[in-house]
Amino acid sequence: MDRPPFDPRPTTRRRLKLLAALALAGCGGGGTTDPPPPPPPPTGAISLALSVLSGTIQQGQQASITAVVNRQGSFTGSVTIAVENLPTGVTATQSGATTSGSSTTVTITFAVTTSAAVGRTDLTIRASGAGVTDATGPYSLTVTAAPVAGYQLGVTGSPLTISQGGNGQAIVTLARTGGFAGSVSLTVEGAPAGLTVILDPTSTTGSQVTLTAIAAAGLTPNTYSLTIRGTATGLADRTVPIQVVVTAVTGTGNVVLDFSGCGSPYAIWVAYRDGTGPWTRVTSGTALFQFSVSSPTAAYAYVVRQSAAGATTTNVVYRSRAELSRTPIVFCPAATIGLKIINGSVAALTGQQAVYLTMGTGF
C-alpha cells in the first residue's frame, strides 16, 4: 500500500504543542533568574550659593558679595566663576578664593564708575568645572545716582525775636553734598532801615555762619522777612528765608539798658540815680530795663552774676542825661572787629580799678 508523501509543515496539533512549550519556557519553567545589574557609580556635580541676591550701589562706589561653590559626587576638580550681563561702567573682580573640604568661597566686588547708567540690571553668576554641568545664580544690581556737588542753606533760630534797641543771633548752616568744599559767600537781602544784620564770616568753606540782628530803638515793631543768599563759583545761588520779629520795649522812660545779648540771667539787679536823688531799683520781666532821668547828670548801677557759684560784680556808671537818653545802651553787642581801632594808654590805676574805652558798640 502506498504512503502519502512527507509534508514538513507541522500539523495543527503539532503547532499547538509547540506554542505551549514556548509559553512554558517564557514563564520560567522552574529555572533560575539573574540578579539586576549594580547601579552606575555616582556622577560629579556642583552647586552655587550667593550671600545676597540683590544689591544697590551708588555711582562711583563699590560693594562685594560672596559666592560659594560646593562639589558633589565624584567631582573634585577646580572651578571658575564668571559674571554675565554686566552693564557698561560696572566691573566685577574676584578675590580671596579659599577652598575648605568640598567648598570654594570667592569674594566678588562690583565697582561702579561715575558714568554708569542709573537703573537695575539682572546678572547671572556662573560656576563651571570640567565634566560637570554649570551651576548658576541670579543677582539683581541697581545703580543709583551720585549726589550732585553743591550745598543747601538752612537757619537755626528762625524766627529771631529781638526788642527795639536789642539784638539777637541765629545760625546759618551749609549742608554740603557730593564732595563740594568750595567757598560760599553770604549776603542778607530785605533788611529795612533800622535793622542791621551782620554775618560772621561773610564767606566760608565751613558748615555754619553766625547771623546777628540789631534793631534800632525807633524801629517799628513788626515781623520782617529777610533772605539769606549764598553764592559759590560754578553753582547756582542758594537762598533761605529768615524772619526777624521786633517787639516793642515795655515800660516807660527815656533811658533803656539792653542786656538781651548777654544771655540770661546776666544783670540780676539794676538801679538808677537821677542827679543827686536817691538810688531807685528798676525791675523788668525781660532783659530790658527802662527808667527816666531829668537832671543834667545821672547814674545807673547793675550787678552781674560772674559764675554759677554765685560770684558777682557791681558796676556803677555816671553819664550826662544826653548820653543816657540818646539811644538804648546795649550790653554784649555784636562784635564788628576791624572797623575801628583805638590806640592809647591808661595810667594811675590802683587796686581793682579798670578802665573801659568805648566807641560805638565796641569796647
Side-chain angles (χ1 to χ4, degrees):
M1 182 176 185
D2 295 332
R3 295 183 179 179
F6 175 73
D7 186 355
R9 293 176 298 176
T11 64
T12 300
R13 181 177 296 176
R14 291 174 60 194
R15 285 198 298 271
L16 292 175
K17 289 181 178 181
L18 179 59
L19 291 174
L22 292 174
L24 288 174
C27 292
T32 59
T33 303
D34 294 334
T43 58
I46 56 175
S47 62
L48 176 66
L50 302 177
S51 57
V52 292
L53 300 181
S54 64
T56 300
I57 308 177
Q58 181 181 287
Q59 290 173 324
Q61 303 296 319
Q62 63 182 29
S64 298
I65 66 171
T66 300
V68 179
V69 180
N70 293 302
R71 297 170 179 78
Q72 301 168 357
S74 61
F75 178 71
T76 59
S78 61
V79 292
T80 60
I81 295 178
V83 180
E84 301 174 351
N85 199 35
L86 281 171
T88 301
V90 179
T91 59
T93 57
Q94 300 178 30
S95 62
T98 59
T99 299
S100 176
S102 61
S103 298
T104 296
T105 302
V106 176
T107 298
I108 302 175
T109 300
F110 297 96
V112 180
T113 65
T114 56
S115 60
V118 173
R120 168 182 163 178
T121 303
D122 293 325
L123 310 180
T124 297
I125 313 297
R126 182 178 300 276
S128 305
V132 293
T133 302
D134 292 354
T136 60
Y139 181 77
S140 177
L141 173 64
T142 301
V143 176
T144 58
V148 177
Y151 67 97
Q152 295 295 328
L153 293 178
V155 176
T156 301
S158 177
L160 175 61
T161 301
I162 58 178
S163 59
Q164 291 173 308
N167 64 81
Q169 291 184 333
I171 300 297
V172 182
T173 59
L174 294 86
R176 298 172 180 268
T177 60
F180 173 68
S183 179
V184 178
S185 298
L186 298 170
T187 55
V188 178
E189 303 170 352
L195 181 61
T196 303
V197 182
I198 302 171
L199 292 170
D200 182 26
T202 57
S203 181
T204 181
T205 57
S207 60
Q208 68 178 38
V209 166
T210 300
L211 179 147
T212 302
I214 304 172
L219 181 61
T220 302
N222 202 347
T223 297
Y224 297 95
S225 296
L226 315 180
T227 299
I228 302 170
R229 180 176 299 276
T231 303
T233 302
L235 299 176
D237 287 0
R238 301 285 189 267
T239 60
V240 64
I242 180 174
Q243 288 187 326
V244 179
V245 180
V246 178
T247 60
V249 175
T250 58
T252 59
N254 59 354
V255 180
V256 177
L257 305 183
D258 182 1
F259 296 93
S260 60
C262 303
S264 178
Y266 181 76
I268 59 176
W269 186 88
V270 175
Y272 75 97
R273 185 182 188 186
D274 188 6
T276 59
W279 283 97
T280 303
R281 184 178 179 182
V282 182
T283 59
S284 173
T286 67
L288 298 177
F289 295 84
Q290 192 164 359
F291 53 90
S292 292
V293 296
S294 57
S295 301
T297 60
Y300 63 86
Y302 61 98
V303 178
V304 174
R305 189 188 305 277
Q306 297 286 13
S307 66
T312 61
T313 299
T314 300
N315 303 273
V316 180
V317 180
Y318 290 87
R319 290 187 179 179
S320 68
R321 182 181 63 194
E323 290 176 319
L324 290 173
S325 60
R326 182 179 299 116
T327 60
I329 300 171
V330 179
F331 297 80
C332 309
T336 53
I337 299 174
L339 300 181
K340 299 292 182 181
I341 298 175
I342 299 177
N343 294 315
S345 62
V346 177
L349 296 181
T350 61
Q352 300 298 315
Q353 293 177 331
V355 172
Y356 289 88
L357 301 179
T358 66
M359 176 177 289
T361 59
F363 69 90

